[in-house]
Amino acid sequence: MTLLQPLLRKLPTPSLLLASLLLATACATAPARQPVPIGTGQPREEPVTGVPRDLGDTPGEDIQIGDMEDLGDASRARGDRGLTPPFMQGREIKRAAVLLPFSHPNANVRAEAESMLAGIELALFEYADKDFLIIPKDTAGKTSVAEARTDEAFEDKVDVILGPLFGENVKTVREMAREEDIPVIAFSNDRSAAGGGAYLASISPDEEVRRVMEYVAARGVDTFVFLGPRSAYGRQVEAAMRFEASRLGAVVAASAFYGEGSGAGAEARQIASVLKTELAGRPGRVAVMIPERGVKLLSVAPLLPYNGVDMRQVKLIGTSYWDDSSIWREPTLRGGLYASTDPGNKSAFSDTYRRIYGRAPTDLAALAYDAAALTVRLAADDSLTYGGVTDPDGFFGVNGLFRFRIDGTSERGLAVMQIQPGGPELVEGGVQSFPTGQTGPS
């Protein structure tokens, strides 16, 4: 049984149907608009009952809505016009399938999927209109299940697919959707899943590396060194660093990979030796990338000064992994730089989400909010097409400015943060508009 999901509550069921509407993020022009504010508490009609509803001041209050049997058989009728609940009969509606792993065996993944759909709900409910239908479908994180859910989405006559979360699922779904000319806005970080009609709404390590390297290069850094894990993530960051160094006219003096489950002592000594040579007479011209997090970062970074590196002469840089309060008081990391979304853009979203759901949103919840809001913006303009998704002006959401390239990857207007004992400080905000011209492969 597919259920019509309650709007303001934790999602208990893996197979869901949520009928609601989304406010789109403002299309970014020059100058770009500010993020659409949320949490205004403006009364809206609850989409199923038609009762006016204010988000109000009651955190986590549940709104109970009946299941599909309460809506009658017409709500399941697909036919030529697609899935249309009774309360939407007679409207020219657009439909978006949301493919997420609600019943994944890993509890953290299930919680992430629920948080993403909750982010969508928040945007839907606060800015509801009456012509957009969201149809969540559970992939369980399995390719075969994602394929079956995609077939169902075609029967429902969806105009766009949001999700899936995992790269292999995205690859399967995009091939099926391409035959139907349906855009896929997915949340995987797997760059190989992009393209062929699939657009990745995730913030890739490549974009983070690009942003922080551009920032330090503009301030005199011309040599980069890598010290990181021998993992898919570490290799992706190192490859992105080499690409950006070439683009910036800089050099990569050395790279050292350590095992994920082992210490980094030998690798740190190797990098320290290179740094002592590179830093001779060139203070401030060398940056070290350490794409690590948490306890591991706290054990790796201090190995540089331990092996004789003068940290006053080198710049430490990292990825959004550094956006972690557990590492901010480490003296070695003080002054370290990393790229992230501008915290000011997400503050209203985060506050409202926490007030309504009683917990903090995940990063992917904010991405899901923006991706779903984008689909409604495009639907309003009758632009739910590949060309509409790749609008070169981009869009401005709670994660700041973004646009999709022709190759399916996303370009972001990220901020640069600097670690201080009291927490990270914004040293340069994200751009407010993209350069004029069509987007293309990075």
Side-chain angles (χ1 to χ4, degrees), residues 251-281:
V251 298
V252 176
S255 293
F257 295 89
Y258 50 82
E260 293 184 80
S262 61
E267 293 78 11
R269 285 193 295 274
Q270 173 191 341
I271 292 302
S273 177
V274 172
L275 288 173
K276 291 172 189 177
T277 300
E278 293 292 338
L279 288 171

Coordinates of all heavy atoms in Angstrom, one line a residue, residues 251-281:
V251 N 52.0 24.3 -9.8 CA 52.6 23.0 -9.9 C 52.2 22.2 -8.6 O 51.9 22.7 -7.6 CB 54.1 23.0 -10.0 CG1 54.5 23.7 -11.2 CG2 54.7 23.7 -8.7
V252 N 52.1 20.9 -8.8 CA 51.9 19.9 -7.7 C 53.3 19.3 -7.4 O 53.8 18.5 -8.2 CB 50.9 18.8 -8.0 CG1 50.8 17.9 -6.9 CG2 49.5 19.5 -8.3
A253 N 53.9 19.7 -6.3 CA 55.3 19.3 -6.0 C 55.3 17.8 -5.5 O 56.3 17.1 -5.8 CB 55.9 20.2 -4.9
A254 N 54.3 17.3 -4.9 CA 54.3 16.0 -4.3 C 52.9 15.6 -3.9 O 52.1 16.4 -3.5 CB 55.3 15.9 -3.2
S255 N 52.7 14.3 -4.0 CA 51.4 13.7 -3.4 C 51.8 12.4 -2.7 O 52.7 11.6 -3.1 CB 50.5 13.3 -4.6 OG 50.0 14.4 -5.2
A256 N 51.2 12.2 -1.5 CA 51.4 11.1 -0.7 C 50.1 10.5 -0.2 O 49.3 11.3 0.4 CB 52.4 11.4 0.5
F257 N 49.9 9.2 -0.4 CA 48.6 8.6 0.1 C 48.9 7.6 1.2 O 49.9 6.8 1.1 CB 48.0 7.8 -1.1 CG 47.5 8.7 -2.2 CD1 48.4 9.0 -3.3 CD2 46.2 9.2 -2.3 CE1 47.9 9.8 -4.4 CE2 45.8 9.9 -3.3 CZ 46.6 10.3 -4.4
Y258 N 48.2 7.7 2.2 CA 48.3 6.7 3.3 C 47.1 5.8 3.4 O 46.0 6.1 2.9 CB 48.5 7.4 4.7 CG 47.4 8.5 5.0 CD1 46.2 8.1 5.4 CD2 47.8 9.8 4.7 CE1 45.2 9.1 5.7 CE2 46.8 10.8 5.0 CZ 45.5 10.4 5.5 OH 44.6 11.4 5.7
G259 N 47.2 4.6 3.9 CA 46.1 3.7 4.0 C 45.0 4.2 5.0 O 45.3 4.8 6.0
E260 N 43.8 3.9 4.6 CA 42.7 4.4 5.4 C 42.7 3.9 6.8 O 42.3 4.6 7.8 CB 41.4 4.1 4.8 CG 41.1 4.8 3.4 CD 39.8 4.4 2.9 OE1 38.8 5.1 3.3 OE2 39.7 3.6 2.0
G261 N 43.2 2.7 7.0 CA 43.2 2.1 8.4 C 44.5 2.1 9.0 O 44.7 1.5 10.1
S262 N 45.5 2.9 8.5 CA 46.8 2.9 9.1 C 47.3 4.3 9.4 O 46.6 5.3 9.0 CB 47.8 2.3 8.1 OG 47.8 3.0 6.8
G263 N 48.4 4.5 10.0 CA 48.9 5.8 10.3 C 49.5 6.4 9.1 O 49.7 5.8 8.0
A264 N 49.8 7.7 9.2 CA 50.4 8.5 8.1 C 51.8 9.0 8.4 O 52.3 9.9 7.7 CB 49.4 9.7 7.8
G265 N 52.5 8.3 9.3 CA 53.8 8.8 9.7 C 54.8 8.9 8.6 O 55.4 9.9 8.4
A266 N 55.0 7.8 7.8 CA 55.9 7.8 6.7 C 55.6 8.8 5.7 O 56.5 9.5 5.1 CB 56.0 6.4 6.2
E267 N 54.3 8.9 5.3 CA 53.9 9.8 4.3 C 54.1 11.2 4.7 O 54.4 12.1 3.9 CB 52.4 9.5 3.9 CG 52.2 8.2 3.3 CD 52.2 7.0 4.2 OE1 52.2 7.3 5.5 OE2 52.2 5.9 3.7
A268 N 53.8 11.5 6.0 CA 54.0 12.9 6.5 C 55.4 13.3 6.5 O 55.8 14.4 6.2 CB 53.4 13.0 7.9
R269 N 56.3 12.3 6.8 CA 57.8 12.6 6.7 C 58.2 13.0 5.3 O 59.0 13.9 5.1 CB 58.6 11.5 7.3 CG 58.5 11.3 8.8 CD 59.6 10.3 9.3 NE 59.3 9.0 8.9 CZ 58.5 8.1 9.5 NH1 57.9 8.5 10.6 NH2 58.3 6.9 9.0
Q270 N 57.6 12.2 4.4 CA 57.9 12.5 2.9 C 57.5 13.9 2.5 O 58.3 14.6 1.9 CB 57.2 11.4 2.1 CG 57.3 11.7 0.6 CD 56.4 10.8 -0.2 OE1 55.9 9.8 0.3 NE2 56.1 11.2 -1.5
I271 N 56.3 14.2 2.9 CA 55.7 15.5 2.6 C 56.5 16.6 3.3 O 56.8 17.7 2.7 CB 54.2 15.6 2.9 CG1 53.5 14.7 2.0 CG2 53.7 17.0 2.8 CD1 53.6 15.0 0.5
A272 N 56.9 16.4 4.5 CA 57.6 17.4 5.3 C 59.0 17.7 4.6 O 59.4 18.8 4.6 CB 57.8 16.9 6.7
S273 N 59.6 16.7 4.1 CA 60.9 16.8 3.4 C 60.7 17.7 2.2 O 61.5 18.6 1.9 CB 61.5 15.5 3.1 OG 62.7 15.6 2.3
V274 N 59.7 17.4 1.4 CA 59.4 18.2 0.2 C 59.1 19.7 0.6 O 59.6 20.6 0.0 CB 58.2 17.7 -0.5 CG1 57.8 18.6 -1.7 CG2 58.5 16.3 -1.1
L275 N 58.3 19.9 1.7 CA 57.9 21.2 2.1 C 59.1 22.0 2.5 O 59.2 23.2 2.2 CB 56.9 21.2 3.2 CG 55.5 20.7 2.8 CD1 54.6 20.5 4.1 CD2 54.9 21.7 1.9
K276 N 60.1 21.4 3.2 CA 61.3 22.2 3.7 C 62.0 22.7 2.5 O 62.6 23.8 2.5 CB 62.1 21.3 4.6 CG 61.5 20.9 5.9 CD 62.3 19.9 6.6 CE 61.6 19.4 7.9 NZ 62.4 18.3 8.5
T277 N 62.1 21.9 1.4 CA 62.8 22.3 0.2 C 62.0 23.4 -0.5 O 62.5 24.5 -0.9 CB 63.0 21.1 -0.7 OG1 63.7 20.1 -0.1 CG2 63.7 21.6 -2.0
E278 N 60.7 23.2 -0.7 CA 59.8 24.1 -1.4 C 59.7 25.5 -0.7 O 59.6 26.5 -1.3 CB 58.5 23.5 -1.7 CG 58.5 22.4 -2.6 CD 58.8 22.7 -4.0 OE1 58.7 23.9 -4.4 OE2 59.3 21.9 -4.8
L279 N 59.7 25.4 0.7 CA 59.5 26.7 1.4 C 60.7 27.5 1.6 O 60.6 28.7 2.0 CB 59.0 26.3 2.8 CG 57.5 25.8 2.9 CD1 57.2 25.2 4.3 CD2 56.5 26.9 2.5
A280 N 61.9 27.0 1.2 CA 63.1 27.7 1.4 C 63.1 29.1 0.6 O 63.0 29.1 -0.6 CB 64.3 26.9 0.9
G281 N 63.0 30.2 1.4 CA 63.0 31.5 0.8 C 61.6 31.8 0.1 O 61.5 32.8 -0.6

